[in-house]
């Protein structure tokens, strides 16, 4: 067996570097900037009102209450229009451009309007300073300013900012396209009644869901029999169209573990027995330069392998500086016994934040076939080799959400 960090370093060291490309802004969420973005225009582009109210000359409000002549109306989207002269006001809506001459806005709540023979008048109840409720051009971004440096991960806020500067095409690292193949003669995915010995294929949907949740482009490459030539054609087709491949099953010590046989023949593979539980067996290598992760078949193992090996590698391939899930310390509720076996155990746990500390308790049956406890897990508690942890002990926990 090899230690986890050695296996992780081996895998990471052989994954290809991120590939720069451009994508339309509406496809950029979750991707990483390959270049710094510079603002081609200022945001806001012009001085405008932060309130519905009246654009005035601040000096005219001295000694308020004062009466000013209302000489026009400016809606958002209108051109600035007429100058505001001394003793005048223009009714202005939020987002409308400041008219020339005006240097402040009085919010509508601090005014009252009355009509007279000379026209409409507004009584301003308060004295306001210059710039009152005025949003200046460039207050969010100046033209020419670096908006985001290369390496920025694009979340919803970044997408909005990029739209505000008219960046329709975004320089990013490519979103890895990742094929998923399930293998096993016992597996069915046709929705029919199970024949004796059959089980449903849960790994492929689960892994495709993990890929989607992590921001990668999962490609369903189907369910393949335990048959050398079927496995070989699925893998060859996959490496032709994907940036990485995930297989599940067929990498253990069984008689029909043909994934191992095929990958040995067509790829440059390393077979690892990693000193962890679950997810001890792992095959990793490249086929035609494309990284292939041979994940174990047990459903929990395939998901834990994804978390420990696949997700960090794919994040690196996508250009993310942060590749790992957060690791926090937590207090154990209820105890988690285990046996000494030379492995680090990753226990599926529910995580709560209570009284100023993270607390963890088991999320259910810890067998590698018991997927419901994985589904209910918020984290993987790291149990070092030994006889486990007791109530009140501290453990490290990899937060899955
Ligand atoms: P293997 O690694 O092929 O020896 O499979 C280990 C265990 O995982 C066996 O009990 C398989 O039936 C089960 N298994 C393999 N692939 C899947 C799958 N796609 N979905 C659910 N269980 C699976
Ligand atoms: Mg199998």
């Amino acid at each position: 067996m090899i230690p986890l960090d050695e296996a992780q370093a081996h895998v990471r060291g052989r994954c290809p570097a991120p590939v720069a490309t451009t994508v339309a802004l509406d496809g950029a969420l979750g991707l990483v900037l390959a270049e710094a973005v510079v603002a081609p225009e200022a945001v806001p582009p012009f001085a405008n009102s932060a309130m519905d109210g009246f654009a005035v000359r601040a000096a005219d409000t001295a000694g308020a209450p004062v009466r000013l002549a209302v000489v026009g109306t400016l809606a958002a989207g209108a051109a600035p229009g007429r100058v505001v002269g001394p003793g005048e006001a223009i009714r202005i809506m939020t987002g409308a451009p400041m008219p020339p001459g005006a240097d402040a806005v009085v919010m509508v709540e601090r005014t009252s309007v009355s009509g007279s023979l000379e026209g409409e008048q507004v009584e301003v109840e308060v004295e306001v300073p210059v710039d009152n409720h005025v949003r200046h051009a460039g207050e969010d971004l100046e033209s020419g300013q670096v908006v985001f440096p290369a390496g920025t991960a694009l979340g919803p806020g970044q997408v909005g900012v990029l739209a505000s500067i008219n960046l329709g095409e975004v320089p990013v690292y490519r979103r890895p396209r990742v094929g998923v193949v399930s293998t096993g003669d016992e597996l069915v995915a046709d929705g029919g009644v199970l024949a004796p010995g059959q089980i449903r294929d849960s790994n492929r949907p689960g892994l495709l869901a993990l890929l989607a949740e992590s921001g990668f482009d999962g490609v369903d490459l189907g369910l393949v029999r335990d048959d050398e030539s079927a496995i070989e054609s699925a893998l060859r087709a996959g490496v032709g169209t994907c940036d990485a491949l995930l297989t599940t099953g067929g990498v253990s010590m069984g008689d029909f573990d043909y994934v191992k046989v095929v990958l040995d023949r067509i790829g440059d593979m390393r077979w690892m027995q990693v000193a962890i539980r679950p997810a001890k067996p792992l095959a990793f290598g490249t086929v035609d330069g494309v990284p292939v992760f041979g994940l174990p078949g047990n459903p929990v193992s395939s998901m834990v392998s994804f978390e420990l090996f696949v997700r960090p590698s794919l994040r690196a391939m996508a250009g993310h500086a942060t590749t790992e899930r957060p690791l926090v310390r937590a207090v154990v509720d209820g105890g988690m016994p285990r046996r000494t076996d030379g492995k680090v155990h990753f226990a599926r746990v529910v995580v709560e934040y209570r009284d100023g500390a993270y607390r963890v308790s088991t999320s259910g049956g810890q067998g590698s076939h018991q997927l419901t406890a994985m589904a209910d897990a918020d984290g993987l508690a790291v149990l070092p080799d030994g006889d486990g942890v007791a109530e009140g002990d501290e453990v490290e926990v990899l937060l899955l959400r």
Side-chain angles (χ1 to χ4, degrees):
M1 288 195 296
I2 62 168
L4 175 62
D5 51 2
E6 184 184 326
Q8 285 173 321
H10 174 82
V11 169
R12 281 286 291 285
R14 278 158 191 79
C15 282
V19 179
T21 182
T22 57
V23 296
L25 181 60
D26 64 5
L29 180 66
L31 297 177
V32 175
L33 283 181
E35 288 168 26
V37 168
V38 174
E41 53 194 40
V43 182
F46 51 87
N48 65 91
S49 178
M51 290 283 170
D52 297 325
F54 289 85
V56 300
R57 293 168 172 259
D60 282 350
T61 66
V66 295
R67 281 182 170 276
L68 303 173
V70 180
V71 297
T73 298
L74 279 174
R82 187 187 184 292
V83 173
V84 174
E88 292 181 344
I90 283 183
R91 182 180 279 109
I92 192 165
M93 308 304 141
T94 304
M98 285 299 287
D103 56 13
V105 170
V106 185
M107 66 198 287
V108 71
E109 292 86 343
R110 296 298 170 85
T111 65
S112 48
V113 173
S114 56
S116 72
L117 281 179
E118 299 84 62
E120 211 182 0
Q121 293 213 311
V122 60
E123 181 170 284
V124 173
E125 296 162 6
V126 287
E127 206 172 303
V128 295
V130 169
D131 282 346
N132 195 55
H133 299 318
V134 176
R135 305 191 287 209
H136 286 284
E139 248 178 29
D140 192 9
L141 289 171
E142 304 271 12
S143 176
Q145 177 185 338
V146 172
V147 182
F148 300 123
T152 302
L154 300 175
Q158 283 78 17
V159 170
V161 169
L162 295 179
S164 79
I165 55 166
N166 193 31
L167 203 79
E169 291 282 309
V170 192
V172 290
Y173 293 115
R174 195 162 79 203
R175 192 187 298 280
R177 203 179 133 78
V178 186
V180 181
V181 187
S182 280
T183 70
D185 280 346
E186 73 280 32
L187 302 174
V188 288
D190 61 5
V193 177
L194 292 177
Q198 290 186 328
I199 59 165
R200 318 244 179 228
D201 175 9
S202 58
N203 289 353
R204 197 159 35 106
L207 289 169
L208 286 166
L210 280 169
L211 287 167
E213 186 199 48
S214 307
F216 308 117
D217 191 1
V219 181
D220 187 350
L221 297 177
L223 170 56
V224 180
R225 300 281 135 224
D226 286 322
D227 170 89
E228 273 196 54
S229 70
I231 292 170
E232 177 169 349
S233 28
L235 294 180
R236 288 208 187 273
V239 296
T241 55
C242 296
D243 301 309
L245 282 195
L246 313 182
T247 69
T248 77
V251 297
S252 312
M253 302 297 184
D255 285 349
F256 306 100
D257 286 341
Y258 293 125
V259 174
K260 200 167 171 170
V261 177
V262 172
L263 284 175
D264 257 339
R265 184 153 47 73
I266 70 172
D268 169 18
M269 302 301 296
R270 175 165 171 197
W271 302 96
M272 290 171 269
Q273 298 293 321
V274 189
I276 56 173
R277 180 180 172 162
K280 180 173 75 151
L282 175 73
F284 177 80
T286 54
V287 174
D288 298 342
V290 174
V292 179
F293 296 81
L295 308 182
N298 276 306
V300 176
S301 308
S302 76
M303 287 200 150
V304 171
S305 283
F306 182 93
E307 288 295 341
L308 298 180
F309 301 106
V310 180
R311 191 174 179 280
S313 305
L314 294 178
R315 281 181 64 82
M317 284 171 64
H320 285 281
T322 316
T323 56
E324 308 301 316
R325 298 274 201 192
L327 196 62
V328 299
R329 293 195 72 77
V331 179
V332 175
D333 276 341
M336 292 175 210
R338 51 156 291 179
R339 289 209 195 93
T340 300
D341 58 7
K343 299 178 207 161
V344 175
H345 290 198
F346 286 86
R348 278 70 77 201
V349 292
V350 173
V351 182
E352 276 181 301
Y353 192 75
R354 212 169 61 232
D355 303 332
Y358 286 107
R359 308 191 72 95
V360 292
S361 55
T362 178
S363 64
Q366 296 288 317
S368 59
H369 59 298
Q370 290 173 302
L371 197 50
T372 49
M374 184 72 196
D376 290 339
D378 308 304
L380 297 172
V382 186
L383 309 183
D385 195 19
D387 52 12
V389 291
E391 167 87 29
D393 283 353
E394 277 210 347
V395 286
E396 286 193 311
V397 184
L398 203 59
L399 294 181
L400 300 179
R401 51 191 175 217

